[in-house]
Amino acid sequence: MASTLQPAEAAPAAVDPRILRSRRMLMDALIRLLNKKEFDAISIQEIADEATLNRATFYLHYPDKNALLQAMTAARFRDLVARRGLSFSNCDGAIRAIALGVCDYLAETTGCPTALLKMPLETSIIPVVESVFLEGAAHRTPTPGVDPTLLATTAAWAIFGAARRWFETPNRIPAEQMAAKIEAMVKPIFLSVKR
Amino acid sequence: MASTLQPAEAAPAAVDPRILRSRRMLMDALIRLLNKKEFDAISIQEIADEATLNRATFYLHYPDKNALLQAMTAARFRDLVARRGLSFSNCDGAIRAIALGVCDYLAETTGCPTALLKMPLETSIIPVVESVFLEGAAHRTPTPGVDPTLLATTAAWAIFGAARRWFETPNRIPAEQMAAKIEAMVKPIFLSVKR
DNA sequence: ATGCGTAAGCAACATCTGTCGATTTATTTT
DNA sequence: AAAATAAATCGACAGATGTTGCTTACGCAT
């Protein structure tokens, strides 16, 4: 599994078009396969075949299946965050927007219904949520004696956990409604130290 | 991977002493091996050998390595909770006690230093924390319109995430101090709806 | 104590995994 | 345009994985 907090290291600023192409093809292949079968049931051989790449090429980019899943999830979620322009600058409603992003992502990526739950998505999504918070915290006068990192981590885990619980609930309430609930729960985490 | 919320189903009320013996031996073997090498570097063959069991017997009890790790972690953490008599009845300080439990567990189980971080511990520990909260919530007059399950899940993820961040920090502050911080952050989650 | 049910042991299987060295092909640099 | 650099392919390897059919040994209830 890749490290938790260095997205830059995880995707080491690939420039060579061949590298980008291979990685994109692998991710696309995985997405396609995930619509057909469970993650655990997919072999690296299959992924490579589906991507029309040699199996050895896979290992050139990712140490194992999980690393690919993680990289792919992080990339897709990061993309969603970028598309929506999520940031912590426009402070109010930011938490709700982020929570909605996580909920939507979980729901949207539901190629295969029950499969997502058994995936190590937390290691992909949580760091991204965390970084959004941290980026926002940087724009702000630092409260002395408070570690913004800890705050960001705690909030990110709380949001993801809540969103995950929502997602695995049979008859879900609308994502927007859930996001509001999550905001109500998570906002106080930040206020807890703000004063 | 086992399901998230049915500990009873995960360990299906084993009665046959042979079953208990085998599972115990497998867990003990894993613990012993974890003190020597990383989880990823341990093969099922090794675990079976160390447990003086046939490899096929392993598959009789767990579908894969992760399932064993998860079952083992859940069992050990549950044990720690029981030893300390953690519950949510004695409401005040309960959150801190639970947070301390998680921190201590992470630190205590550090047979091999860096290995714990790469493990899917969340699926083992979080449900236990959650159940402690839920058990406590049962003893309490239910606040209408509030889903105690959601609260428990969110708090459990927040606590675990914070504890995990603490654990992976190079120069850690004492666990007690960290537990206090966590309490400060997490308590408001519950108050957020108690209104 | 005897016998039924079921767990544990055993051996063999097809497949997957991760890694290697050697070769070919595609970029970038000069 | 040619040379240098680096990625992709290929075949092969030892080992691990998950499963199966069969036999042996244990635990429990009669």
Side-chain angles (χ1 to χ4, degrees):
Chain A
M1 226 174 268
S3 56
T4 319
L5 266 179
Q6 297 86 343
E9 183 217 30
V15 277
D16 195 315
R18 290 171 294 180
I19 294 182
L20 273 69
R21 175 173 178 274
S22 294
R23 293 190 182 163
R24 197 164 356 95
M25 292 183 82
L26 286 171
M27 290 185 185
D28 290 352
L30 179 54
I31 281 287
R32 248 172 285 135
L33 289 174
L34 277 176
N35 289 339
K36 291 189 235 162
K37 50 205 309 195
E38 296 214 351
F39 180 67
D40 287 337
I42 300 173
S43 77
I44 292 179
Q45 184 68 256
E46 282 178 290
I47 299 174
D49 288 349
E50 178 74 30
T52 60
L53 290 176
N54 192 279
R55 188 168 65 91
T57 306
F58 178 97
Y59 290 104
L60 235 41
H61 295 281
Y62 305 100
D64 56 36
K65 229 179 17 170
N66 272 303
L68 170 61
L69 173 68
Q70 179 164 341
M72 189 196 73
T73 306
R76 288 169 62 92
F77 182 66
R78 198 176 291 278
D79 188 59
L80 180 147
V81 168
R83 275 203 315 272
R84 301 198 178 183
L86 292 187
S87 81
F88 210 65
S89 335
N90 52 338
C91 183
D92 246 5
I95 295 180
R96 178 156 59 233
I98 293 170
L100 182 60
V102 177
C103 287
D104 282 353
Y105 182 82
L106 290 180
E108 153 191 322
T109 317
T110 311
C112 60
T114 59
L116 277 192
L117 299 177
K118 3 181 66 182
M119 290 193 197
L121 295 177
E122 41 272 24
T123 38
S124 322
I125 297 182
I126 290 178
V128 179
V129 175
E130 224 176 292
S131 69
V132 172
F133 281 140
L134 283 177
E135 185 194 326
H139 293 193
R140 187 171 315 280
T141 59
T143 317
V146 172
D147 182 8
T149 313
L150 177 60
L151 242 17
T153 301
T154 309
W157 280 78
I159 290 177
F160 182 82
R164 191 180 187 278
R165 138 88 58 241
W166 165 80
F167 178 67
E168 72 185 345
T169 299
N171 297 357
R172 282 175 236 141
I173 60 178
E176 288 77 12
Q177 205 172 324
M178 187 63 194
K181 281 193 180 198
I182 295 179
E183 182 188 33
M185 290 188 295
V186 171
K187 202 175 220 168
I189 294 180
F190 291 98
L191 303 177
S192 72
V193 270
K194 275 266 170 54
R195 66 117 296 129
Chain B
M1 226 174 270
S3 57
T4 320
L5 266 181
Q6 296 86 344
E9 186 216 30
V15 277
D16 195 316
R18 290 172 294 180
I19 294 183
L20 273 68
R21 174 174 178 272
S22 293
R23 294 193 182 159
R24 198 165 351 99
M25 291 183 80
L26 287 171
M27 290 183 186
D28 291 351
L30 179 54
I31 280 288
R32 248 172 284 135
L33 289 173
L34 278 175
N35 289 340
K36 292 188 233 161
K37 50 206 305 195
E38 295 214 352
F39 181 67
D40 288 336
I42 300 174
S43 77
I44 293 181
Q45 185 67 257
E46 281 178 290
I47 299 175
D49 288 349
E50 178 74 29
T52 59
L53 289 176
N54 193 277
R55 188 168 64 91
T57 305
F58 178 97
Y59 290 103
L60 234 42
H61 295 281
Y62 306 100
D64 56 36
K65 228 178 20 170
N66 272 303
L68 170 61
L69 173 68
Q70 179 165 340
M72 189 195 75
T73 306
R76 288 169 62 92
F77 182 66
R78 198 177 290 278
D79 189 59
L80 180 147
V81 167
R83 275 204 314 273
R84 300 199 178 182
L86 292 187
S87 82
F88 210 64
S89 336
N90 52 339
C91 184
D92 245 6
I95 295 178
R96 179 156 59 232
I98 293 170
L100 182 61
V102 177
C103 288
D104 281 353
Y105 182 83
L106 290 179
E108 153 192 321
T109 317
T110 313
C112 60
T114 59
L116 277 192
L117 300 177
K118 4 180 65 180
M119 291 193 197
L121 295 176
E122 41 272 23
T123 38
S124 321
I125 297 182
I126 290 178
V128 179
V129 176
E130 223 174 295
S131 68
V132 172
F133 281 139
L134 283 177
E135 186 193 325
H139 293 192
R140 187 171 315 280
T141 60
T143 317
V146 172
D147 181 8
T149 314
L150 177 60
L151 241 18
T153 301
T154 309
W157 280 78
I159 290 177
F160 182 82
R164 190 180 188 277
R165 140 88 56 239
W166 165 80
F167 178 66
E168 72 184 346
T169 299
N171 296 359
R172 283 175 235 143
I173 61 177
E176 289 76 13
Q177 205 172 322
M178 187 63 193
K181 282 195 179 195
I182 295 179
E183 182 188 33
M185 290 189 295
V186 171
K187 203 175 221 168
I189 294 181
F190 291 98
L191 304 177
S192 72
V193 270
K194 281 262 176 53
R195 94 106 322 163

